Structures are given as structure tokens and as C-alpha cells.
């Protein structure tokens, strides 16, 4: 997951985190994935090699839980309903379980790419 990030600077500043936290909460509520019982990492697209490899590296129980959450969310979507109040995912339960693995895989892919692009300067 490459790109410019200001997460550490925002977290370090009380002013910025105070201003941006309500905006972030409103965005998460508008996204609606918690109302379907999904975590943030459940809605990441598996179309890239990095995320596909990270999903393959998940422990079996976490992988099964991920598939179950997706099936339940799909059922809610088909029936045009949302989860009840007690089945809605709480913010403290929305942990990033896949993001650390994605970071590891991205670093490995970058290292592999760098290794494959080494130029030999022999005469």
C-alpha cells in the first residue's frame, strides 16, 4: 500500500485529530459496511496480486470468519435489509486484521521487483 500518508502527523496533532475524527466517523457511517457486519479489511478489493496473496496468508480461522461475514453481508444485500442493532459491527470490533499482512506482502513484492531489476555492471 504505497502512497503518501499523513496518518502519523494527524494522530500526533490534537487539533487535526479533533477536527478530522468526526469527518472520519461520518464517512464510516455513510459507507455502511458495519451495518452489514463487515470489517474495513473485508471490503478491500481482491483484484490485486498483493491483496490476493495477503488473503491467502490469513490464518484458517480468520479466513473462515471473513468468508462468513461476506456471506452474511451478501444475504443482507439480497434481502434489502441491514443487521439488527446487536449484529451491527461496533467500532472497537473493526480491527485491521488484513492490513499488516498486506504491508508485509507489498514489501516482499517491492523487494522482489528491486532484486529482479538489479543491473550488472561487469565489463
Amino acid at each position: 500500500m504505497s502512497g503518501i500518508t499523513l496518518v502519523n502527523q494527524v494522530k500526533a496533532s490534537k487539533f487535526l485529530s479533533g477536527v478530522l475524527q468526526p469527518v472520519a466517523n461520518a464517512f464510516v457511517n455513510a459507507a455502511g459496511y458495519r451495518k452489514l457486519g463487515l470489517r474495513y479489511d473485508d471490503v478491500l478489493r481482491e483484484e490485486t496480486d498483493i491483496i490476493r496473496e495477503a488473503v491467502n496468508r490469513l490464518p484458517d480461522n480468520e479466513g473462515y470468519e471473513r468468508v462468513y461475514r461476506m456471506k452474511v453481508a451478501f444475504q443482507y444485500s439480497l434481502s434489502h435489509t441491514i443487521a439488527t442493532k446487536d449484529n451491527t459491527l461496533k467500532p472497537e470490533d473493526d480491527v485491521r486484521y488484513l492490513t499488516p499482512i498486506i504491508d508485509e506482502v507489498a514489501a516482499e513484492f517491492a523487494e522482489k521487483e528491486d532484486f529482479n531489476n538489479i543491473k550488472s555492471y561487469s565489463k
Side-chain angles (χ1 to χ4, degrees), residues 32 34-37 76-77 79-85 87-88:
R34 287 183 183 162
K35 294 176 184 174
L36 297 175
Y76 283 134
S77 178
S79 62
H80 299 286
T81 60
I82 58 173
T84 59
K85 196 76 161 173
N87 289 342
T88 300

Side-chain angles (χ1 to χ4, degrees), residues 19-40:
V19 169
L20 294 177
Q21 190 62 44
V23 175
N25 292 339
F27 176 77
V28 168
N29 289 333
Y33 63 87
R34 287 183 183 162
K35 294 176 184 174
L36 297 175
L38 294 172
R39 294 181 182 174
Y40 173 78

